[in-house]
Amino acid sequence: MYVAVKGGEKAIKNAHQLLADRRRGKRDVPEISADQIREQLSLAVDRVMSEGSLYDRDLAALAIKQARGDLIEAIFLIRAYRATLPRLGYTQALSTATMQVERRISAIFKDLPGGQVLGPTFDYTHRLIDFKLAAEQEIASGVEAQAQPGAPMPKVASLLGEEGLIETASAADGEGDPTEMADITREPLSFPCGRDLRLQSLARADEGFLLALAYSTQRGYGRTHPFVGEIRVGAVDVEFFVEELGFEVPLGRLQVTECEMVNQFVGTDTLAPQFSTGYGLVFGHCERKAMSVALVERALRAEEFGETVQAPAQDAEFVLSHCDNVQAMGFVEHLKLPHYVDFQSELQLVRQLRKDFAARPAQGAEKASVK
Amino acid sequence: MIESPHETGYNFAYLDEQTKRMIRRAIMKAIAIPGYQVPFAAREMPMPHGWGTGGVQLTAALLGPEDVLKVIDQGADDTTNAVSIRQFFQKTAGIATTTRTDEASIIQTRHRIPEMPLKAGQILVYQVPIPEPLRFLEPRETETRKMHALEEYGLMHVKLYEDIARHGYIATTYAYPVRVEGRYVMDPSPIPKFDNPKMQMSPALQLFGAGREKRIYAIAPHTRVASLDFDDHPFKINRFDRPCALCGGEGVYLDEVLMDDRGQRMFVCSDTSYCESRRAMGHGPVDASAEPAR
Amino acid sequence: MSHGPGAGFKNPVFDSQRLFRQAMMALATPGQICEMAMDAEPPAPFMAAMAGLALCLVDFETPLWLDAAFDRPEVLQYLRFHTGARFAPKPDAAAFALIGHALAMPNLSDFSLGTLENPHRSTDLFIQVEYLSNGEGPTLAGPGVAVPIELRAGPLPRDFWAQRLAMQRHFPCGLDIYFVCGNRLAAVPRSTRLMGDLPCM
């Protein structure tokens, strides 16, 4: 006798218990702490903060632990958490020009005011597995270098701007009143969308998706002739304007990565030739992500510069509708849910179609095989 | 005074009041413009997109302490995702739940409409993956929005007619598009087209939520809902040529259950609550033997 | 002498949920008169159901337009305090319009009717009336109306229903109208069709 499957509740409970067990792994290995993740897997933490759109290192570290190192799952935890946080207000725009820099490089000038600061980077490391790391060891503390100590470090874009060689940001790009900015978490994306919504979407977009799109522009699918104008990583102050006080109060500091791509632009009938820019700003130290954002951002400005929109990376509706990994993972993985009701309908249909097909004279089969 | 019963530190029914208000306003517009997809700022929910976040946000905005909630997936109350969503609201809102269609004030569903006719005052909340019925004909939102604005539904009719030309009938078996009150073409969510006629002039309020796609739409009670068809090819639903093997119910949607690897199968009600209540009333199999393979 | 704003919801979570459900059912069943019980203490000229609608639907995201009857310091203070409302300078910039003196209200076409692509970006009208009953009014039909129903509401401008009738051909653009009388509420959404001869108000 057939009995319909029951006990979904129990099955779920057991699955959660097993999950907790597997997350912990072998009990004779010490449990990893959120502090260890925050300090020693800090780039994973930065990615989770950046794509989770919440600047909280401790919470991101805990999410990584809870997600067994599945970063998209951790990002999802952070997003769901932040969704119900009260919105107390909007801070002033961050000033990256006054950033306390720990890394700053430009590829378009050999040297420049403030100098090149390599900082902590994988660049120029030889990618050889360091077997010594398998054992605990003392690590000497790093030397913080500033190329020209005390010298101001102007933005590279502003150096070019003095000659009018590069486009200047307009108020619509974010120099205006922060309360007038669109907010991706408070209104659904609609097209065409402004630079504010575009940059917000890209800042929380999946790194892998953006990396691939950025790469595609380099291979000719929406070429943008990019140069790394500047990448800077460091701490910026967050300030909040208090109406009752009439001035700004500091709330704290954030570590961010900023990338400005400088792109050749030959001009049109109405626009003079000058360098255009693609911009990327993300939480934490996420250099690959910031560069990808900047490349894709510039590609998405194709229409603005009278370029034909033909490559995937230039198509705002395509890019922005599919760049969010929390949305993408949910919808791809929802195929695991039962679909047997719809499948039953399809079964009936395919059986009917096959019956019709078999009843047809032989030419039916030929036709189908040609197709 | 009732306090939120949850142990999680979240608001009653999880969402904050500001979010609920935003969703409630979207629901009002949706009811006033039946079949039109109202954009709303869907929040990230603690379950994945595509797993019912749209329906969950609707239910969270609707729920009050007096509600009795039923959650079904594939017509069944005991499927894992239905269980999970029901537990979510038990935990965050502490409300009463039921598996009985006639006892529920709100029914959240994925892929089915209950067999038992709904009553005035009941609310049916559908989980919707892709709310745009024209999406597979035209992937761009900017374009489909225009098509709805101008009532340009020719593309949809062409697609359906191509089916007829090739197969002699329309080869769409679920998520079969409907026209609401003679105006908007609407996706009824992936319910089998068997369920489409239940939407027509239903006394219940029907709300549709697509969280990932950030759309809410609605069918007011007593609203005309016509499945798209042609004069010479009227809309038809597929009926099953046998009753439910457990309760003997006829004219209902059946699941095909494989019994072994030699093609033995049986057909049982997809609506488990309907099947159980019939059996409780003493109905049984019309013919106890499972159907042999065809 | 300065007073604080009158009391809002005693329990914001459950009061706004209950009132929303009542307003939603009113909208889903056009012409049906629904109770909207409220125990807030809004200033004049607020009727109970009007305050209920405002407190459960309005916030800083929805610009609000007030007619002359409502445009008073106590009302502004009350709404600002309990809803964080922002105020719209013109009727067509408002998501909601509160109308206390219907006879002097603007023409319906002065409010935002939405656009064909975005019909939901329209103004919802909350109109306070002195009488509200079924019978001896225009006959309503359409979605949500099981059997055509007459709705008598007023006093309203003489050509109110004629304006409303003229608006029907613009559907899906249009206005969703809520009539409030004391603690009772009836709705006429844009999907509702007026039938037969229109009575003169």
Side-chain angles (χ1 to χ4, degrees), chain B residues 82-114:
Chain B
V83 169
S84 166
I85 290 172
R86 188 164 55 241
Q87 281 180 344
F88 175 73
F89 284 116
Q90 278 169 335
K91 199 156 75 179
T92 59
I95 39 97
T97 60
T98 183
T99 58
R100 288 187 49 170
T101 300
D102 56 347
E103 278 180 1
S105 57
I106 299 173
I107 303 170
Q108 180 168 332
T109 180
R110 177 168 169 265
H111 294 194
R112 277 306 314 273
I113 299 177

Side-chain angles (χ1 to χ4, degrees), chain A residues 99-107 109-124 143-154 156 228-234 258 285 287:
Chain A
M99 173 188 282
Q100 188 184 333
V101 164
E102 58 183 296
R103 169 164 165 78
R104 186 261 200 137
I105 54 164
S106 170
F109 294 108
K110 183 175 184 196
D111 200 2
L112 67 170
Q116 308 258 18
V117 180
L118 219 42
T121 176
F122 288 116
D123 298 350
Y124 319 112
V143 183
E144 303 274 349
Q146 262 210 319
Q148 295 150 22
M153 218 178 250
V156 172
V228 170
E230 183 172 13
I231 292 171
R232 50 171 71 195
V233 184
E258 182 186 52
H285 190 170
E287 216 163 299

Side-chain angles (χ1 to χ4, degrees), chain B residues 21 25 29 36 62 67 221, chain C residues 17 21 57 59 120 124 144:
Chain B
R21 207 160 32 236
R25 289 192 295 255
K29 295 290 188 192
Y36 167 72
L62 292 167
D67 277 308
Chain C
Q17 184 274 339
R21 283 284 284 277
L57 292 172
D59 59 33
H120 63 289
D124 286 354

